[in-house]
Amino acid sequence: MAAIGIPGIAPELEAELALGMQKVESLLLSHIQGDYPLVEETSRHLVAAGGKRLRPLLTLLASHYGDKDRFGIVESAVVCELTHVATLYHDDVMDEARLRRSVESANSRWGNTVAILSGDFLFARSSKLLADLGPDAVRVQAETFERLVIGQLRESVGPQGDEDPIVHHLEVLADKTGSLIAAAGRYGAMMSCVSAELTDRIADFGESIGIAFQLSDDLLDIESEVSGKTPGTDLREGVPTLVTLNLMKSTRPEDKNLQKLVSAPIKDEAVVASVLKELRSHPALAESKDQLQQVARDARAALGPLPVNDVTGALFSLCDAIVDRSA
């Protein structure tokens, strides 16, 4: 795996991206500084904790299809990361999360009010930076933010009426995760003056890999300990995942007890271990893997019109790396 997280990437491209990511990090840190020490401390909390920086990386990659040195590329990359981190503060309050990026969550450390306001501060800083990028960039952010909110709302209320729970799950992931990753790719292409057609394809790719990333998380919750995530976390919290949703649609009589167990939070660790053992050999897991592969195929198909070069190769490899997390 390359230093920036993409296996097999061309060395020259990797070096250029690494330099670009340094600029992103510097600008990101400068935009969480404030006049009030507490808001700077709380805002720095999650930024300093790291993260994959997938969104800025995609912005930089997309810019290589055009003039990668234009103003607005690094800036829009930071807009996406600030927006992403801001949503994490709000998500942790709604989820009552204790940890984020392997550190104590802001809501656990300072309380819900401070965590919410810290997220708001980062949204404000993102908007301030965005104001210099023009009305088209502002429109992309507004449309993306609308999808982020709708996705969170739909997740909170769950499927309605006769809505298919799996379709609902995929659409929530598209809004909550895919939309901002799509925007990151769109910004990189827009700011570097890539054609509208190719810009749309890059955005489509970003949305698909965003969905794939979250689906791979669903699988990892069943299969293995990766990136600090303990298997069964979603089972303990009663959070529906692709695997449990595929299980719930089963009509096999032998699945009734397992369906009952996963339909609510599981507090008994022995029961968690037993459920994990059953799910690891259940057809629902294999079906979920097939669904993840279909989303990955959609992502790769979006790259079809793009030129054959090192950048496109890196995007294919990025897709493979995301899917392989749960292989």
Side-chain angles (χ1 to χ4, degrees):
M1 182 73 76
I4 60 168
I6 303 178
I9 189 171
E12 183 178 348
L13 176 59
E14 181 184 9
E16 290 181 351
L17 290 172
L19 180 60
M21 290 300 289
Q22 289 177 11
K23 294 177 181 177
V24 166
E25 203 69 19
S26 177
L27 187 62
L28 176 63
L29 292 174
S30 73
H31 275 268
I32 59 174
Q33 296 174 1
D35 296 330
Y36 184 51
L38 177 59
V39 77
E40 183 171 339
E41 180 185 1
T42 59
S43 299
R44 185 178 295 273
H45 182 65
L46 282 188
V47 172
K52 299 173 181 64
R53 304 288 193 257
L54 173 60
R55 293 151 191 84
L57 179 60
L58 183 57
T59 302
L60 297 183
L61 271 167
S63 74
H64 280 69
Y65 287 108
D67 182 354
K68 60 183 174 58
D69 297 317
R70 284 179 61 88
F71 169 78
I73 295 168
V74 170
E75 290 75 13
S76 60
V78 172
V79 164
C80 290
E81 189 65 17
L82 284 170
T83 302
H84 172 56
V85 176
T87 64
L88 299 183
Y89 282 88
H90 288 186
D91 283 354
D92 286 346
V93 170
M94 287 183 281
D95 297 340
E96 299 180 346
R98 297 175 59 190
L99 294 174
R100 171 66 71 174
R101 293 178 173 175
S102 301
V103 299
E104 186 180 17
S105 64
N107 48 295
S108 292
R109 184 168 179 177
W110 290 287
N112 286 345
T113 299
V114 171
I116 291 169
L117 292 172
S118 298
D120 291 345
F121 172 76
L122 293 177
F123 282 130
R125 283 305 174 95
S126 173
S127 298
K128 185 177 180 180
L129 186 57
L130 191 66
D132 295 329
L133 303 183
D136 288 341
V138 173
R139 184 175 296 106
V140 169
Q141 174 77 338
E143 292 170 350
T144 301
F145 194 71
E146 178 181 346
R147 291 189 64 189
L148 291 171
V149 172
I150 294 299
Q152 183 61 61
L153 184 60
R154 292 187 67 194
E155 182 181 58
S156 298
V157 302
Q160 299 296 294
D162 59 356
E163 188 177 9
D164 186 309
I166 293 177
V167 172
H168 174 270
H169 184 62
L170 294 173
E171 290 177 350
V172 165
L173 297 185
D175 285 339
K176 279 195 62 179
T177 301
S179 64
L180 187 54
I181 298 178
R186 183 175 295 281
Y187 276 137
M190 282 174 55
M191 296 299 164
S192 61
C193 299
V194 174
S195 72
E197 180 185 357
L198 293 188
T199 296
D200 286 344
R201 298 291 74 75
I202 293 167
D204 290 344
F205 170 79
E207 181 152 334
S208 290
I209 65 166
I211 299 169
F213 189 91
Q214 292 303 123
L215 292 182
S216 68
D217 262 6
D218 284 359
L219 297 176
L220 288 171
D221 191 61
I222 303 301
E223 293 191 295
S224 62
E225 296 185 25
V226 175
S227 302
K229 183 172 183 178
T230 303
T233 298
D234 292 329
L235 295 174
R236 294 179 184 89
E237 297 175 357
V239 176
T241 66
L242 186 62
V243 180
T244 59
L245 290 172
N246 279 318
L247 168 66
M248 293 303 292
K249 73 178 186 180
S250 170
T251 58
R252 302 191 315 174
E254 62 267 35
D255 286 334
K256 288 190 177 299
N257 183 59
L258 190 57
Q259 289 170 331
K260 182 178 179 181
L261 289 173
V262 305
S263 64
I266 304 175
K267 301 303 181 184
D268 188 318
E269 286 300 313
V271 176
V272 171
S274 175
V275 169
L276 284 173
K277 183 178 180 180
E278 287 194 65
L279 287 176
R280 285 167 181 162
S281 59
H282 196 280
L285 181 63
E287 185 175 5
S288 299
K289 289 184 176 181
D290 288 342
Q291 289 162 325
L292 169 59
Q293 290 297 335
Q294 180 56 57
V295 174
R297 285 193 288 272
D298 292 342
R300 297 182 187 107
L303 299 177
L306 298 176
V308 178
N309 57 25
D310 289 342
V311 181
T312 303
L315 292 177
F316 274 108
S317 294
L318 178 61
C319 180
D320 291 344
I322 288 172
V323 173
D324 290 346
R325 294 167 70 233
S326 56

